[in-house]
Amino acid sequence: MKIGTIDLGPTPVMLAPMEDVTDRSFRLICKEQGASMVYTEFVSADALIRDIPATTRKLAIDPMERPTAIQIYGRDVESMVEAAKIVEAAKPDIIDINFGCPVKKVAGKGAGAGMLRDIPKMLAITSAVVKAVNLPVTVKTRLGWDHESKIIVDLAEQLQDCGIQALTVHGRTRSQMYTGSADWEMIARVKENPRLNIPLIGNGDITSPKLAKEAFSRYGVDGVMVGRASIGAPWIFREIRQLLDGEVGVAISNSEKFGLLRRQIIESVDRIDEVRGILHIRRHLAASPLFKGIANFRPLRIEMLRASTLDSLFEILERVEDIINNNQPINPLT
């Protein structure tokens, strides 16, 4: 699969853009674990134009994480064009337009998935951004606004006509948010359109290597995107790659998994500070499948998520790792 001149191989697996998740450290770790391409957190066009420091910092890319896409969102042509030019100066490999974010503060203001209620404006923004920059432009969107308006088959063709070089489809409507199941049959219908010539990336509920493989073999997509299943588990990319490539790889050990989580914590603290860095990483710790199935884990989980210093957090993680390695139940009284 190619996006412009960027060759991602025959079965690429991408890290989805996620707010407060896909910072530079996490992207690099996912890349090292086998992600074919990574995406930044989505970036507000208005905030970029106003030169908000917290937003402009999101444009920083580590050379080792490439290829990297910077994703932007906004609600009018002029600001999106200006933001795209600012992003181009940061030298990502791809500029991605977010027409899929369903959260109220974005979609409710007409940006992100809110554009699914104003297709002419969506197409106008897309065409203008494509013409304004020299980098490949891609789009990420959803099936439609709600169950009654699943317009993605026709919309994909219209976006292609605007000049985008790849399309990512999340298999839910905006109304679904992240509930229910992703509709991969609908994604397959997009791919089956003989007039669609650009690569199609499927997104939604890719939570295991088996499901990633099925996305290619059953639904025919050109690439898959992994989002929430990577939070607290960046090693999922290594596991997916082993299955897709037919390799009999060595299973990643618990020790390696704990090592990756510790690295995320340290790099988060180094990037921000101890208190806020630990706060930032709690989402990964709370979501990590590494802690699932441990008997009587709730008190220790609460303790882990309340830890406010590196020393205390690492001491708790060491205890948890010992419990897992020794297959010992946690004493609920401790």
Side-chain angles (χ1 to χ4, degrees):
M1 171 183 149
K2 282 188 175 182
I3 299 178
T5 61
I6 302 167
D7 191 344
L8 298 171
T11 54
V13 182
M14 288 80 157
L15 169 66
M18 292 177 283
E19 180 69 3
D20 293 326
V21 175
T22 54
D23 56 66
R24 183 165 47 169
S25 168
F26 186 63
R27 297 195 306 266
L28 181 56
I29 290 173
C30 291
K31 177 66 177 177
E32 292 171 355
Q33 290 295 307
S36 308
M37 185 166 74
V38 296
Y39 288 67
T40 64
E41 303 170 74
F42 54 77
V43 177
S44 163
D46 291 338
L48 265 187
I49 293 167
R50 296 200 308 272
D51 200 25
I52 304 298
T55 299
T56 56
R57 281 195 294 268
K58 294 178 181 179
L59 303 185
I61 295 172
D62 189 308
M64 298 301 293
E65 72 179 73
R66 292 183 182 273
T68 306
I70 293 179
Q71 188 186 71
I72 58 175
Y73 72 94
R75 55 183 177 178
D76 62 76
V77 173
E78 292 76 15
S79 65
M80 286 291 281
V81 166
E82 188 173 349
K85 291 178 179 178
I86 295 170
V87 167
E88 185 174 38
K91 295 181 168 51
D93 300 282
I94 288 166
I95 295 176
D96 189 67
I97 304 176
N98 180 326
F99 292 139
C101 179
V103 300
K104 187 175 181 180
K105 68 178 182 179
V106 175
K109 296 179 180 179
M115 281 290 167
L116 289 163
R117 303 176 84 178
D118 191 345
I119 300 305
K121 182 183 283 190
M122 177 193 287
L123 299 177
I125 287 173
T126 306
S127 293
V129 169
V130 168
K131 292 173 183 175
V133 298
N134 294 314
L135 291 172
V137 175
T138 60
V139 162
K140 185 171 189 283
T141 190
R142 290 184 168 232
L143 304 180
W145 179 258
D146 55 27
H147 182 72
E148 302 302 320
S149 58
K150 291 184 178 181
I151 58 173
I152 190 59
V153 175
D154 291 334
L155 178 60
E157 194 175 335
Q158 292 174 293
L159 289 167
Q160 174 181 260
D161 292 344
C162 292
I164 66 170
Q165 297 194 41
L167 173 66
T168 301
V169 176
H170 182 113
R172 290 181 173 85
T173 63
R174 187 273 171 179
S175 297
Q176 282 183 273
M177 299 293 286
Y178 296 101
T179 62
S181 299
D183 186 349
W184 279 82
E185 296 291 345
M186 195 75 181
I187 294 175
R189 284 182 57 194
V190 178
K191 181 61 184 173
E192 290 164 1
N193 180 358
R195 294 183 295 276
L196 190 74
N197 301 311
I198 58 174
L200 178 67
I201 302 161
N203 175 223
D205 298 344
I206 300 295
T207 57
S208 70
K210 180 181 177 182
L211 290 171
K213 185 174 183 179
E214 185 178 66
F216 289 106
S217 62
R218 180 176 176 183
Y219 300 108
V221 294
D222 301 291
V224 298
M225 185 174 282
V226 179
R228 288 173 292 167
S230 69
I231 303 175
W235 52 82
I236 191 173
F237 291 100
R238 176 170 154 186
E239 294 171 340
I240 291 173
R241 278 265 60 95
Q242 287 178 343
L243 181 62
L244 291 178
D245 297 342
E247 298 176 355
V248 183
V250 177
I252 185 167
S253 67
N254 285 333
S255 177
E256 289 178 278
K257 293 176 181 178
F258 273 98
L260 288 172
L261 291 183
R262 289 188 179 97
R263 175 181 164 188
Q264 279 188 255
I265 295 166
I266 291 170
E267 292 180 358
S268 180
V269 167
D270 287 346
R271 182 172 59 90
I272 314 173
D273 57 47
E274 187 169 37
V275 173
R276 290 182 299 161
I278 290 173
L279 281 173
H280 172 74
I281 216 68
R282 281 178 181 169
R283 181 171 182 180
H284 292 267
L285 295 175
S288 181
L290 192 53
F291 309 120
K292 290 182 179 178
I294 304 175
N296 303 314
F297 184 60
R298 187 172 183 274
L300 192 52
R301 181 180 188 275
I302 292 172
E303 187 180 348
M304 177 178 69
L305 297 179
R306 286 179 176 172
S308 59
T309 67
L310 274 177
D311 288 343
S312 62
L313 181 53
F314 278 9
E315 186 274 331
I316 294 167
L317 286 177
E318 186 174 344
R319 285 158 53 195
V320 176
E321 186 173 4
D322 286 342
I323 289 165
I324 292 175
N325 289 340
N326 296 319
N327 198 25
Q328 295 175 351
I330 296 173
N331 186 337
L333 300 179
T334 61

